[in-house]
């Protein structure tokens, strides 16, 4: 992400109010703009196509379809992205660019295989048990696979620092989605929900195709080394576990509430709790700016300290290593505290705005009673994720796994317990899980600061490890000469 840091440094160094606003806007473009564009397209389609006039069960079927497309495309992609990102970063560092296409193809095959199998099983049930029209189900399945490809190709473009192209592709795709839905519904008189779903699937496929074409244009040579990619999954399996546990932890509290009496079953296939899911969405957006702040500050400050320490390790004196290490961890703690302070203010302001104005927009009652606790949980959660990123810098895979495990398990257990509480405490499970994960990550970072020298200098191996018979301990025998 070094490319962001250079751009942000050039923006912020003028130190004016205008440049601060521009810097925040640029950070949003390269981080959360794609998600905001998709949400904006959905809102505009619902408004101009009079989505509220559709029958309630039809609206819920469309909403659940889109919800499941996003949740499960992220879940099925999570086991692969971190390892593939690691492999791609390594081959770029070694300038073996011909090894990137094998990584791209292997990862795509594994991701599509897992996603398609799970998707087909669900779609068969939706058709047979739920009696949903097979054309509607197939369109939703196509949108699901397209979004899987979108998220997958985004990984490669992100590593190539092509954030602006990602945002442009999403803007183009969702623009086509919006105008195509108007054409299909207003001119060709398609049903509102199917026209929206079909247009959304077309938009996702358009984004996926544009991303794939850019990846292929960047990397034209293919070394054919597919086995090496698979070897990374064996070597760096903790990354698979960490990323999956973190992504699962984001939604597992929703899954727990889907099993309670609050749940609603749509066409005997989809399960949801509308009030809790909506409160979750509001809480997540209340704290989503933490991602922008974190990327901005890490790119501008911590990255330089980490680079200085790495250069000292490679060719500096012992005193240089000690000094740069202290500066690096001091910057790390400062950035975590700064992120907490700034995000707390932003969260508080957004929380007050939501509590005042959302009831006037129809979002009140049980949603706003659940929302405060979830907002606190996501506030801690994004701080925990910042610590996980710092542990990735130090290659502390054990700490990442422990953090993800504590976060996921305690969130699940806490959510199961909180289902028996009053509505205001429904989000207590997420709060407990996020705080547990944050505590584990904080303790690991403290441990890493104390043992970093051992971690850096004593974990290597002079001889390559392999399985086989132990060689003879005899080194030399002058009588055998």
């Amino acid at each position: 992400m070094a490319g962001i840091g250079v751009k942000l440094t050039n923006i912020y160094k003028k130190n004016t109010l205008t440049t601060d606003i521009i810097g925040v806007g640029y950070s949003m473009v390269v981080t959360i703009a794609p998600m905001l564009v998709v949400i904006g397209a959905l809102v505009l389609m619902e408004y101009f196509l009079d989505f509220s006039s559709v029958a309630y069960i039809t609206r819920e079927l469309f909403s659940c379809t889109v919800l499941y497309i996003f949740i499960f495309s992220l879940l099925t992609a999570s086991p692969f992205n971190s390892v593939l990102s690691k492999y791609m970063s390594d081959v770029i560092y070694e300038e073996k660019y011909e090894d990137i296409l094998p990584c791209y193809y292997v990862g795509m095959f594994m991701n599509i295989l897992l996603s398609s199998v799970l998707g087909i099983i669900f779609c068969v049930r939706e058709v047979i048990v739920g009696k949903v029209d097979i054309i509607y189900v197939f369109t939703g399945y196509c949108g699901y696979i397209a979004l899987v490809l979108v998220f997958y190709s985004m990984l490669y473009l992100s590593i190539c620092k092509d954030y602006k192209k990602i945002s442009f592709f999403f803007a183009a795709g969702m623009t086509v989605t919006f105008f195509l839905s108007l054409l299909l519904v207003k001119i060709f008189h398609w049903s509102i929900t199917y026209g929206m779903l079909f247009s959304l699937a077309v938009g996702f496929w358009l984004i996926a195709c544009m991303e794939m074409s850019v990846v292929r244009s960047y990397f034209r040579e293919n070394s054919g080394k597919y086995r090496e990619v698979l070897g990374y999954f064996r070597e760096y399996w903790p990354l698979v576990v960490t990323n999956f546990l973190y992504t699962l932890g984001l939604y597992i509290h929703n899954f727990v509430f889907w099993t309670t009496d609050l749940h609603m079953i749509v066409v005997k296939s989809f399960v949801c709790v509308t009030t809790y899911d909506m409160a979750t969405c509001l809480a997540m957006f209340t704290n989503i700016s933490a991602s922008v702040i974190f990327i901005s500050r890490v790119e501008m400050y911590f990255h330089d300290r980490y680079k200085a320490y790495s250069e000292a390790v490679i060719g500096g004196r012992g005193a240089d290593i000690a000094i740069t290490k202290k500066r690096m961890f001091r910057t790390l703690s400062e950035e975590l505290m700064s992120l907490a302070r700034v995000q707390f203010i932003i969260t508080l302001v957004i929380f007050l705005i939501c509590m005042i104005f959302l009831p006037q927009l129809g979002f009140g009652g049980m949603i706003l009673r659940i929302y405060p606790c979830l907002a606190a949980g996501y506030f801690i959660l994004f701080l925990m994720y910042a610590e996980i990123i710092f542990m990735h810098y130090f290659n502390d895979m054990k700490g990442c796994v422990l953090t993800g495990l504590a976060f996921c398990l305690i969130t699940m257990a806490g959510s199961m317990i909180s289902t028996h509480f009053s509505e205001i405490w429904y989000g207590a499970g997420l709060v407990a899980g996020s705080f547990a994960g944050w505590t584990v990550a904080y303790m690991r970072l403290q441990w890493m600061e104390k043992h970093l020298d051992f971690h850096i200098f004593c974990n290597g191996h002079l001889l390559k490890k392999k399985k086989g018979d132990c060689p003879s301990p005899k080194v030399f025998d002058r009588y055998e000469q």
Side-chain angles (χ1 to χ4, degrees):
M1 295 187 293
I4 302 178
V6 175
K7 181 69 175 179
L8 289 175
T9 301
N10 292 333
I11 293 175
Y12 282 121
K13 68 182 181 181
K14 297 180 182 179
N15 198 27
T16 65
L17 179 60
T18 303
T19 54
D20 288 344
I21 296 174
I22 294 173
V24 172
Y26 178 80
S27 301
M28 292 182 64
V29 167
V30 301
T31 52
I32 62 174
M35 179 173 55
L36 297 178
V37 169
V38 174
I39 293 173
L42 286 170
V43 171
L44 288 176
M45 285 192 295
E46 291 181 1
Y47 177 77
F48 284 98
L49 298 179
D50 195 17
F51 182 72
S52 59
S53 65
V54 179
Y56 178 76
I57 185 64
T58 307
R59 294 202 311 268
E60 289 301 319
L61 176 60
F62 173 80
S63 300
C64 288
T65 301
V66 174
L67 175 66
Y68 274 47
I69 285 175
F70 274 90
I71 289 179
F72 291 101
S73 59
L74 284 171
L75 281 176
T76 55
S78 60
F80 308 106
N81 286 352
S82 56
V83 176
L84 296 174
S85 177
K86 170 68 175 174
Y87 179 86
M88 189 175 174
S89 299
D90 288 348
V91 297
I92 289 177
Y93 177 77
E94 297 171 0
E95 298 184 356
K96 297 179 180 178
Y97 303 112
E98 66 278 5
D99 291 341
I100 292 178
L101 277 185
C103 173
Y104 184 71
Y105 292 140
V106 168
M108 180 185 295
F109 174 78
M110 296 172 67
N111 200 345
I112 291 297
L113 180 63
L114 175 62
S115 302
S116 60
V117 169
L118 295 177
I120 288 172
I121 294 173
F122 181 84
C123 288
V124 169
R125 174 181 172 82
E126 188 179 356
V127 172
I128 296 176
V129 179
K131 307 299 182 181
V132 181
D133 182 63
I134 192 171
I135 301 299
Y136 188 95
V137 174
F138 180 73
T139 303
Y141 178 78
C142 290
Y144 162 67
I145 295 298
L147 194 59
V148 168
L149 291 173
V150 167
F151 289 146
Y152 178 74
S153 296
M154 278 177 64
L155 170 68
Y156 292 82
L157 295 180
S158 297
I159 294 176
C160 293
K161 316 295 186 289
D162 233 338
Y163 304 101
K164 287 188 287 187
K165 280 189 177 179
I166 294 175
S167 299
F168 171 76
F169 292 158
F170 269 86
M174 290 301 100
T175 300
V176 170
T177 293
F178 173 67
F179 286 106
L180 179 61
S181 66
L182 293 180
L183 178 67
L184 295 177
V185 175
K186 299 292 186 181
I187 306 298
F188 293 100
H189 305 291
W190 287 25
S191 65
I192 293 176
T193 54
Y194 183 69
M196 293 170 63
L197 184 62
F198 182 86
S199 301
L200 203 60
V202 170
F204 288 154
W205 275 109
L206 179 61
I207 297 169
C209 291
M210 289 190 291
E211 290 180 344
M212 293 169 66
S213 65
V214 171
V215 172
R216 286 296 307 274
S217 68
Y218 285 164
F219 311 107
R220 300 178 181 274
E221 298 182 11
N222 189 338
S223 65
K225 296 180 180 179
Y226 299 101
R227 288 182 176 271
E228 293 186 3
V229 182
L230 297 175
Y232 259 61
F233 282 92
R234 182 175 62 254
E235 182 177 358
Y236 294 103
W237 62 265
L239 293 177
V240 177
V241 176
T242 301
N243 207 37
F244 178 74
L245 288 174
Y246 172 75
T247 307
L248 179 61
L250 288 174
Y251 304 109
I252 199 168
H253 56 104
N254 294 85
F255 298 160
V256 169
F257 275 88
W258 288 0
T259 64
T260 65
D261 295 336
L262 296 172
H263 76 278
M264 176 177 62
I265 300 177
V266 180
V267 296
K268 299 180 181 179
S269 303
F270 297 95
V271 182
C272 65
V273 178
T274 305
T275 52
Y276 189 89
D277 295 339
M278 180 58 69
T280 299
C281 182
L282 290 173
M284 185 178 292
F285 278 107
T286 300
N287 294 279
I288 198 69
S289 58
S291 301
V292 179
I293 299 168
F294 176 71
I295 288 180
S296 302
R297 297 193 66 86
V298 168
E299 287 295 327
M300 289 192 297
Y301 302 111
F302 179 77
H303 184 77
D304 290 338
R305 297 296 191 188
Y306 179 81
K307 182 179 179 181
Y309 173 76
S310 301
E311 291 173 349
V313 168
I314 294 173
R317 301 172 301 164
D320 296 330
I321 296 174
I323 292 172
T324 53
K325 172 187 169 183
K326 290 181 180 179
R327 289 175 177 173
M328 178 178 63
F329 277 98
R330 184 166 62 247
T331 302
L332 186 153
S333 62
E334 289 173 355
E335 294 312 312
L336 285 176
M337 290 300 299
S338 177
L339 175 63
R341 288 194 300 267
V342 175
Q343 185 56 43
F344 177 78
I345 296 172
I346 295 174
T347 298
L348 185 60
V349 171
I350 297 178
F351 173 79
L352 292 175
I353 292 174
C354 289
M355 296 299 290
I356 294 172
F357 293 104
L358 284 183
Q360 303 176 23
L361 301 175
F363 297 95
M366 189 173 177
I367 293 177
L368 289 188
R369 288 195 295 273
I370 300 173
Y371 165 66
C373 200
L374 285 175
Y378 275 102
F379 172 76
I380 305 172
L381 189 153
F382 283 115
L383 297 182
M384 179 199 71
Y385 184 69
E387 293 178 321
I388 292 177
I389 296 300
F390 282 131
M391 284 191 288
H392 279 311
Y393 269 94
F394 303 122
N395 198 32
D396 183 17
M397 291 188 288
K398 180 179 179 180
C400 292
V401 172
L402 291 174
T403 300
L405 190 63
F407 166 56
C408 188
L409 291 180
I410 296 180
T411 298
M412 181 179 68
S415 297
M416 293 173 67
I417 296 173
S418 66
T419 57
H420 301 288
F421 298 163
S422 61
E423 297 165 358
I424 196 172
W425 297 109
Y426 279 173
L430 180 64
V431 174
S434 299
F435 184 76
W438 181 89
T439 302
V440 172
Y442 185 77
M443 292 173 64
R444 286 297 300 184
L445 286 173
Q446 284 189 318
W447 183 91
M448 187 60 63
E449 182 177 7
K450 296 177 181 178
H451 300 87
L452 187 61
D453 292 336
F454 172 81
H455 184 74
I456 295 294
F457 297 105
C458 302
N459 279 342
H461 302 280
L462 296 176
L463 299 177
K464 186 177 181 180
K465 295 190 296 183
K466 66 177 183 179
K467 295 182 179 180
D469 296 333
C470 181
S472 172
K474 184 167 61 174
V475 179
F476 175 76
D477 189 340
R478 65 178 181 176
Y479 298 107
E480 293 180 358
Q481 300 303 315

